[in-house]
Amino acid sequence: MKGIFSVLVENKDGVLSGVSGLFARRGFNIDTLAVGETDNHEISSMTIVSTGDQRTIDQIEKQLNKNIDVIKVRRLSEAKSVCLEMMLVKVAYNASNRSSLIELCQITGAKIMKVAPKFLLLEYHGEPESVEDFIQLLRSYGIQEIQRTGTIAMEKV
Amino acid sequence: MTGAEAMIKCLEAENITKVFGYPGVAIAPFYEGLYNSDIKHILVRQEQNAGHAASGYARLSRKPAVCVVTSGPGATNLITALATAYADSIPIVAISGQVSSKLLGRDVFQEADMRGATKSFVKYSYLVKDPDDIPSVFKEAFYIASTGRKGPVLIDIPMDVQNSTLKKPFVYPDSVHIRGYKPEIKVNMNQIRRVVQALAQARRPLLCAGGGVILGNAETTIRAFCEKFNIPIVHTMMGMGVIPKSHPLNFGMLGNNGKPYANNAVEQADVLIVVGARIADRAVSKPESLARRVAVIHIDIDTAEIGKNLGPTIPLVGDVDDIFKILLEEEIRPADPSWIAELEDIKHGTVDTRVFSDRYVNPNLLVQTLSDKMDDNAIYVADVGQNQLWSADNYIMKDGRFLTTGGMGTMGYSIPAAMGAKMFAPERQTVAVCGDGAFQMCMNELATMRENNAEIKIVIVRNNYLGLVREYQYNLYNGHYEGVRLGEWPKYDKIAEAYDIPFFICSTNDALDETIDAFLAYPGASLMICDVDSNDRVK
């Protein structure tokens, strides 16, 4: 199963390595990790997505809570949250498939950030699944480089 | 006031009178502070032993103890002791010197990233960059080490921070506010109700006491609880001392090195109350299956222990003494005496089929005789290896303490830890028991012991082998003994002579009584060799 954790942490050095180290040494998986400051400079917010069985997900929550630099842990359900991911991607094109690629961008809402002689640099954001789907669609053109932010999430209620 | 002087002030505010350490350049300003204070510094002979000595001291004082090391190799030498204290939840505040903050990250002489290196072995760590942070860092460190689930806390402090002057006046904080750390957990009364319900339905309840009971100072309350409701007790190795051996409700140590009748009691129970124990692989081989046949109530101060090794349970999180004081007030029908009688029958029906060589000393008889003759409130420190398992199996617990490292299993723990314990409680008889392997890992501390008049007694269970690994090779590798023979060295009588302490040797069962009497009767530190057969096994 998938676990989405929204974690508030102290914004100081060593905290990120402490949290990621906790995953590493207990054999938990980090699928994505996104970190940024909150409106309070002393506090950062992390969204961590992990997969594992129920016991593992429960343990992750407990171990996160145990970490002294962790202020608050919330476990989000996909249904009750907004989950978003952003991606930058360079896609190769040639004369024959250029227009179909541009058409694909129009349909999916991907933004063309740069038109280069041999590639388009696209920005796309959406629910994590739709990012995956979009990547699949781009494969036939040839993906040169990809950068993803990882999931960020927030409860709707 | 300099940072170093502030550090001393903080230790004084925490009523620290002794620190165990080993100096070096990066911690020299702090030592200048020590020179001008009444805090006594105990110079160990290797940094790891400063940590173990602090562990022994902390286990007796039941408060955080302090060890001090320099940067680089001094600090890395301490890591094993920190990991040991972490695994056993022992409160220690470790201070390490660090290179000047301007040089951090440049790999200069004796620089080691101590915070990074110890991340998974300490409860929390600090790298102090501003001398004005010293009071709050120390206050927090002592608070974190000694509250909730106890453990070691590291303060890494660069040399320039020790040397520079505080800009603000020194004020030691009265209280601590850490957003992410709230160790005082209010006992959940709904969970108490569930526990009481489960106990009310129990016909064969059993309590399993772990080291957390001792760390939570709850021995007396737990005994009173079990006596009131007639609940038998088994314990883990770290739970030795929760209840005397002679107590009618004590059914011994469980686990693969424990008493068969203790494990049998776990098999027979219908409700198992696990207290302050993580039930790791050595205690129950398949802990996750336990909850399938028996209702498990899991009581711990650490929420993260709930459901880590054991399967589904009735969890109850909080201070163990608080919880059992509440449970003591409940009215639950005491367990039927027939349940205790059943366990008694199993206990007395268990025959020890192990055969021990009679050419040398029988290690079981050694531990039984020794612990029987020791003072009621004596401190017994078992090292790691066969000696630990023979000790745990045969120790006659009275009103004393049994210290060992059950979590990390660190060889060489016994002598420095015994020394630390003795320095807190000089009036109590203190005996370290180790194998000839472990002894050679910590024998350098005999000098510290002599220098500081820590009159501990040392028993070396000698078989010229690393016995427990040898036993493993016997069982799993057809007796292919590789890398386990210690041989004939050193000459232990010469070691005793070198440190000017009396030497006793016992090589037969017949001589045990007399030798142990003489060994214990000698008023100061002494060393006793007990020769056991290298073919003698734990199982």
Side-chain angles (χ1 to χ4, degrees):
Chain A
M1 64 184 287
K2 199 183 216 180
I4 306 170
F5 299 95
S6 172
V7 187
L8 293 180
V9 299
E10 297 287 344
N11 181 16
K12 42 185 197 192
D13 55 339
V15 176
L16 175 61
S17 77
V19 170
S20 59
L22 177 162
F23 278 75
R25 75 173 173 274
R26 292 189 186 269
F28 304 149
N29 218 19
I30 297 182
D31 295 342
T32 69
L33 169 66
V35 197
E37 224 174 73
T38 63
D39 55 327
N40 178 345
H41 292 313
E42 289 179 0
I43 298 176
S44 290
S45 168
M46 292 185 181
T47 305
I48 306 171
V49 180
S50 182
T51 37
D53 55 17
Q54 183 71 46
R55 194 198 74 91
T56 306
I57 301 292
D58 288 348
Q59 263 296 305
I60 291 173
E61 184 175 359
K62 285 173 184 164
Q63 293 293 342
L64 282 170
N65 268 313
K66 190 172 165 178
N67 188 312
I68 290 171
D69 288 320
V70 169
I71 299 162
K72 190 168 183 181
V73 180
R74 268 179 306 180
R75 205 149 127 190
L76 308 184
S77 83
E78 276 180 277
K80 290 185 185 149
S81 316
V82 176
C83 296
L84 269 186
E85 182 171 356
M86 185 174 155
M87 164 174 79
L88 295 173
V89 58
K90 282 180 188 166
V91 187
Y93 70 86
N94 53 40
S96 62
N97 64 13
R98 197 182 74 133
S99 55
S100 78
L101 181 56
I102 292 170
E103 195 179 331
L104 183 63
C105 293
Q106 281 162 353
I107 297 165
T108 56
K111 240 161 127 182
I112 300 170
M113 308 299 289
K114 163 89 185 166
V115 182
K118 296 212 164 133
F119 65 83
L120 296 184
L121 198 166
L122 308 179
E123 176 268 330
Y124 180 81
H125 63 265
E127 289 178 352
E129 289 75 24
S130 78
V131 176
E132 283 296 331
D133 291 345
F134 187 53
I135 292 171
Q136 290 307 325
L137 291 171
L138 295 176
R139 281 196 196 283
S140 59
Y141 297 92
I143 296 170
Q144 293 183 339
E145 192 181 342
I146 203 161
Q147 286 283 351
R148 299 171 66 169
T149 58
T151 304
I152 56 169
M154 193 175 278
E155 267 181 323
K156 289 180 204 164
V157 287
Chain B
M1 182 186 291
T2 65
E5 286 162 356
M7 291 161 76
I8 301 289
K9 277 265 188 207
C10 294
L11 295 183
E12 286 168 353
E14 293 289 344
N15 299 314
I16 296 298
T17 55
K18 287 190 182 73
V19 296
F20 301 90
Y22 208 109
V25 169
I27 193 71
F30 173 78
Y31 275 76
E32 169 65 10
L34 274 181
Y35 181 83
N36 294 312
S37 86
D38 292 332
I39 297 174
K40 184 170 163 57
H41 178 263
I42 316 286
L43 174 66
V44 294
R45 296 307 190 258
Q46 205 261 23
E47 290 87 350
Q48 181 178 321
N49 299 324
H52 290 330
S55 167
Y57 193 92
R59 290 173 87 164
L60 263 290
S61 69
R62 301 186 185 234
K63 289 194 184 106
V66 178
C67 54
V68 191
V69 296
T70 191
S71 67
T76 55
N77 268 349
L78 183 66
I79 295 178
T80 300
L82 291 176
T84 305
Y86 190 57
D88 292 338
S89 308
I90 310 296
I92 287 176
V93 172
I95 302 169
S96 54
Q98 183 54 279
V99 301
S100 279
S101 47
K102 287 174 287 296
L103 299 174
L104 276 173
R106 297 194 196 181
D107 298 331
V108 296
F109 180 68
Q110 292 197 332
E111 178 183 359
D113 170 19
M114 196 52 183
R115 258 197 106 194
T118 58
K119 208 114 219 187
S120 51
F121 302 124
V122 294
K123 191 172 168 188
Y124 200 64
S125 61
Y126 296 89
L127 173 62
V128 186
K129 289 180 173 166
D130 181 344
D132 283 301
D133 290 342
I134 287 171
S136 63
V137 164
F138 273 71
K139 180 74 187 178
E140 285 182 14
F142 277 89
Y143 179 71
I144 291 171
S146 60
T147 50
R149 182 181 184 162
K150 295 165 188 174
V153 176
L154 172 80
I155 304 173
D156 197 30
I157 182 153
M159 219 180 145
D160 58 325
V161 178
Q162 298 172 52
N163 276 327
S164 50
T165 306
L166 274 69
K167 288 177 281 301
K168 292 184 236 163
F170 177 94
V171 181
Y172 199 65
D174 292 329
S175 59
V176 172
H177 174 73
I178 308 166
R179 272 184 291 226
Y181 184 64
K182 299 280 175 285
E184 270 141 50
I185 299 161
K186 204 165 168 285
V187 180
N188 182 330
M189 291 311 286
N190 287 332
Q191 289 305 99
I192 292 271
R193 293 270 78 77
R194 285 183 66 195
V195 169
V196 170
Q197 270 169 17
L199 286 177
Q201 284 162 13
R203 304 198 60 81
R204 299 189 303 280
L206 180 71
L207 186 140
C208 169
V213 175
I214 298 167
L215 290 162
N217 307 320
E219 297 101 312
T220 316
T221 319
I222 293 242
R223 272 183 226 171
F225 168 82
C226 287
E227 283 161 2
K228 181 171 176 188
F229 302 115
N230 205 28
I231 298 174
I233 301 184
V234 294
H235 57 79
T236 65
M237 191 184 284
M238 295 301 284
M240 287 268 287
V242 169
I243 184 164
K245 184 153 190 160
S246 60
H247 197 288
L249 289 173
N250 186 354
F251 287 89
M253 184 175 94
L254 86 169
N256 63 352
N257 297 308
K259 296 287 185 200
Y261 52 81
N263 294 327
N264 205 305
V266 177
E267 293 285 326
Q268 301 295 322
D270 61 355
V271 172
L272 180 65
I273 316 165
V274 176
V275 193
R278 61 174 164 279
I279 305 295
D281 53 336
R282 293 293 158 109
V284 174
S285 60
K286 289 195 181 68
E288 59 284 356
S289 70
L290 194 65
R292 259 179 250 138
R293 36 181 186 76
V294 39
V296 179
I297 298 164
H298 194 179
I299 298 175
D300 207 291
I301 195 148
D302 182 358
T303 316
E305 279 306 328
I306 307 290
K308 188 172 87 182
N309 295 328
L310 285 167
T313 57
I314 302 172
L316 184 49
V317 176
D319 178 85
V320 58
D321 200 48
D322 291 352
I323 287 172
F324 278 91
K325 279 191 175 129
I326 294 170
L327 289 174
L328 251 181
E329 299 302 313
E330 295 289 336
E331 286 310 324
I332 314 165
R333 179 175 46 87
D336 198 278
S338 66
W339 163 229
I340 307 288
E342 201 181 313
L343 292 178
E344 280 290 340
D345 284 349
I346 298 168
K347 182 173 174 178
H348 296 301
T350 315
V351 186
D352 194 343
T353 53
R354 294 173 299 179
V355 180
F356 287 89
S357 158
D358 52 9
R359 288 194 302 147
Y360 297 98
V361 175
N362 176 333
N364 294 332
L365 192 62
L366 159 68
V367 176
Q368 286 161 14
T369 313
L370 175 66
S371 55
D372 187 38
K373 288 177 185 290
M374 279 163 51
D375 294 348
D376 281 3
N377 73 343
I379 303 159
Y380 184 106
V381 189
D383 213 289
V384 169
Q386 285 178 316
N387 66 85
Q388 182 185 37
L389 303 176
W390 283 323
S391 289
D393 198 11
N394 295 286
Y395 188 69
I396 299 171
M397 173 56 70
K398 289 176 276 188
D399 202 20
R401 292 292 297 274
F402 181 92
L403 308 181
T404 192
T405 157
M408 188 56 59
T410 308
M411 283 176 72
Y413 178 76
S414 60
I415 291 174
M419 209 167 65
K422 184 75 178 177
M423 285 188 200
F424 178 77
E427 73 291 354
R428 286 172 79 166
Q429 188 182 54
T430 305
V431 181
V433 175
C434 51
D436 38 355
F439 177 77
Q440 291 181 65
M441 281 201 181
C442 57
M443 63 191 214
N444 48 354
E445 295 307 328
L446 292 182
T448 316
M449 175 189 93
R450 294 295 280 145
E451 194 64 33
N452 293 281
N453 303 316
E455 310 284 4
I456 64 168
K457 303 202 163 282
I458 299 163
V459 178
I460 303 170
V461 184
R462 175 170 71 176
N463 61 7
N464 304 320
Y465 277 93
L466 299 174
L468 198 55
V469 185
R470 184 185 195 272
E471 182 171 335
Y472 193 73
Q473 290 174 343
Y474 171 86
N475 287 327
L476 267 91
Y477 300 103
N478 299 316
H480 297 162
Y481 302 128
E482 183 62 42
V484 289
R485 199 182 122 75
L486 291 161
E488 307 299 323
W489 303 96
K491 299 294 176 203
Y492 290 91
D493 53 339
K494 300 254 167 59
I495 297 277
E497 195 188 337
Y499 291 98
D500 196 19
I501 51 175
F503 177 73
F504 299 84
I505 182 161
C506 182
S507 304
T508 63
N509 288 331
D510 290 342
L512 254 185
D513 259 313
E514 204 183 324
T515 321
I516 291 176
D517 281 340
F519 168 69
L520 290 178
Y522 182 79
S526 49
L527 183 75
M528 180 168 89
I529 290 281
C530 273
D531 282 315
V532 300
D533 194 313
S534 57
N535 293 310
D536 282 350
R537 291 188 296 276
V538 172
K539 281 202 184 153

